[in-house]
């Protein structure tokens, strides 16, 4: 019944960074018109007490011309998201919820589940899919007071090449252990694990950011003193652009005499990809997450996770 919070969090939210970067870009380009200033505030409830009353007062002073976005909401987080949404909606403040719970339910279930229907009944807008190229439309329609109940972009996955890159301001990054942040260099996974939501939301096709995009993101972070990153791709080894990205990271790390580090996620067979491990080490990868849902081979086969071999 309450949010688990820490003084510092371990892993930054890539979704929050993506939405912040897109929102900041819309603000800089005056996406609502030259005479409208977009004021952006972001919070990670994993390490910050959400100032609900202060947010409500700020909206009321501005005639409720704004939008509360609850981003990256996973299934276990959805009840808490609704706790917050009800407080804002009770004061007439527009609210939108996105993330893997909304996207996964709309992608995989034949009917609208009860918790999402309750959100709609409260006047909460549901956002399914990815926000690149779409977030500004949501902002415009929120500003004009005509948001749709549901925005579903699951059937139209954006190209990430040249897209606005994830970004979090330094003050937020400092609240994570080790002062590091994250970004996705690609989305989508070629595998077909039966339990996985990634493939139903982000698809099987590998979509990726260019090496230039990644370099620009890293250099922006370095200006804030951030030199540790978690590459949040569900399986970085299966990103078709992994080698150009690692080559660029190697170059950047050499420029900084090794003062650049990364964490990644892979499957157990990633070490069989020629040059992958060697280049990952040279790029500064020091920690690797491997999803071990089971060490029972029969269970892995039953879940269609054939890329994880217990012997490897």
């Amino acid at each position: 019944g309450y949010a688990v919070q820490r003084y510092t969090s371990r892993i930054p939210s890539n979704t929050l960074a993506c939405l912040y970067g897109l929102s900041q870009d819309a603000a800089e380009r005056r996406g609502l018109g030259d005479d409208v200033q977009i004021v952006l505030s972001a919070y990670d409830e994993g390490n910050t007490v959400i100032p609900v009353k202060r947010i409500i007062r700020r909206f009321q002073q501005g005639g409720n011309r704004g939008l509360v976005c609850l981003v990256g909401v996973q299934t276990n987080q959805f009840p808490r998201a609704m706790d917050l949404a009800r407080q804002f909606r009770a004061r007439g403040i527009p609210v939108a919820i996105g993330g893997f719970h909304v996207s996964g339910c709309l992608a995989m279930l034949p009917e609208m589940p009860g918790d999402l229907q309750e959100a709609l009944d409260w006047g909460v807008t549901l956002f399914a899919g990815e926000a690149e190229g779409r977030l500004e439309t949501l902002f415009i329609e929120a500003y004009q007071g005509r948001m749709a109940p549901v925005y579903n972009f699951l059937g139209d996955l954006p190209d990430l090449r040249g897209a606005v890159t994830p970004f979090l301001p330094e003050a937020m990054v400092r609240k994570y252990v080790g002062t590091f942040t994250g970004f996705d260099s690609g989305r989508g996974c070629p595998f077909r694990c039966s339990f996985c939501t990634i493939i139903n939301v982000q698809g099987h096709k590998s979509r990726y950011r260019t090496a230039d995009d990644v370099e620009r993101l890293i250099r922006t972070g370095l200006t804030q003193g951030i030199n540790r990153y978690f590459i949040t791709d569900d399986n970085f080894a299966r990103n078709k652009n992994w080698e150009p990205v690692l080559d660029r990271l190697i170059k950047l790390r050499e420029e900084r005499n090794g003062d650049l580090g990364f964490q990644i996620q892979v499957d157990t067979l990633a070490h069989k990809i020629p040059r992958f491990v060697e280049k990952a080490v040279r790029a500064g990868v020091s920690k690797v997450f491997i999803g071990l849902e089971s060490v029972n081979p029969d269970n892995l086969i039953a879940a269609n996770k054939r890329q994880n071999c217990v012997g490897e």
Side-chain angles (χ1 to χ4, degrees):
Y2 59 91
V4 176
Q5 294 177 311
R6 296 175 174 83
Y7 183 73
T8 56
S9 300
R10 184 67 190 92
I11 299 177
S13 168
N14 178 65
T15 308
L16 188 60
C18 286
L19 269 289
Y20 192 98
L22 292 168
S23 301
Q24 185 181 55
D25 177 69
E28 291 173 350
R29 291 186 296 98
R30 296 282 179 168
L32 296 181
D34 292 336
D35 59 339
V36 180
Q37 179 185 8
I38 297 176
V39 179
L40 177 63
S41 299
Y43 310 92
D44 183 343
E45 195 171 25
N47 54 38
T48 303
V49 175
I50 307 300
V52 173
K53 292 182 180 179
R54 191 190 318 157
I55 293 171
I56 291 173
R57 285 198 302 270
R58 195 163 69 231
F59 270 71
Q60 290 175 336
Q61 291 167 359
N64 283 357
R65 297 297 289 273
L67 175 64
V68 171
C69 294
L70 301 171
V71 308
V73 178
Q74 300 176 16
T75 298
N76 63 309
Q77 298 166 331
F78 193 81
R80 172 58 181 164
M82 282 301 299
D83 286 344
L84 291 169
R86 291 187 196 96
Q87 296 178 68
F88 294 123
R89 289 299 301 138
R91 301 300 184 94
I93 295 173
V95 177
I97 300 180
F100 267 90
H101 183 65
V102 171
S103 296
C105 286
L106 295 186
M108 301 169 67
L109 301 181
E111 298 179 356
M112 183 74 70
D115 55 355
L116 296 192
Q117 185 57 55
E118 181 188 3
L120 293 174
D121 293 343
W122 272 90
V124 174
T125 288
L126 303 178
F127 190 102
E130 299 174 14
E132 283 80 7
R134 293 77 183 259
L135 189 63
E136 198 162 316
T137 299
L138 179 69
F139 287 170
I140 292 171
E141 295 184 2
Y143 181 72
Q144 296 174 346
R146 56 182 186 90
M147 275 199 306
V150 179
Y151 291 84
N152 189 337
F153 298 105
L154 290 167
D156 183 18
L157 300 176
D159 189 343
L160 297 180
R161 291 172 294 183
V164 176
T165 51
F167 176 80
L168 286 177
E170 182 181 3
M172 293 190 68
V173 175
R174 297 292 174 190
K175 293 188 175 184
Y176 298 107
V177 176
T179 310
F180 82 124
T181 187
F183 67 91
D184 52 358
S185 67
R187 298 176 192 160
C189 181
F191 300 117
R192 299 182 179 273
C193 309
S194 62
F195 55 82
C196 185
T197 311
I198 291 283
I199 54 179
N200 294 289
V201 174
Q202 297 185 350
H204 292 287
K205 182 181 178 181
S206 176
R207 294 171 292 120
Y208 48 80
R209 303 186 191 277
T210 67
D212 289 342
D213 294 336
V214 173
E215 178 178 352
R216 183 172 63 255
L217 182 153
I218 298 296
R219 290 194 183 279
T220 300
L222 291 173
T223 63
Q224 300 187 94
I226 302 165
N227 60 356
R228 296 290 182 269
Y229 295 86
F230 179 23
I231 303 178
T232 63
D233 298 32
D234 192 57
N235 192 337
F236 179 68
R238 308 303 167 176
N239 179 331
K240 288 187 176 180
N241 204 40
W242 70 261
E243 191 160 27
V245 169
L246 287 184
D247 286 341
R248 192 65 58 89
L249 297 182
I250 290 169
K251 179 181 177 182
L252 288 170
R253 190 167 185 256
E254 290 173 347
E255 285 181 13
R256 297 183 56 81
N257 297 317
D259 188 24
L260 195 60
F262 300 91
Q263 300 178 22
I264 60 173
Q265 303 180 95
V266 299
D267 60 87
T268 62
L269 296 182
H271 70 96
K272 293 192 173 183
I273 301 173
R275 304 177 301 281
F276 180 77
V277 171
E278 292 80 3
K279 289 196 173 185
V281 171
R282 288 179 60 199
V285 174
S286 59
K287 294 182 181 178
V288 179
F289 290 92
I290 301 175
L292 297 176
E293 286 76 14
S294 176
V295 292
N296 183 322
D298 293 336
N299 286 349
L300 290 172
I301 291 173
N304 206 26
K305 186 160 189 173
R306 300 173 186 273
Q307 71 273 21
N308 262 14
C309 300
V310 176
E312 300 287 339

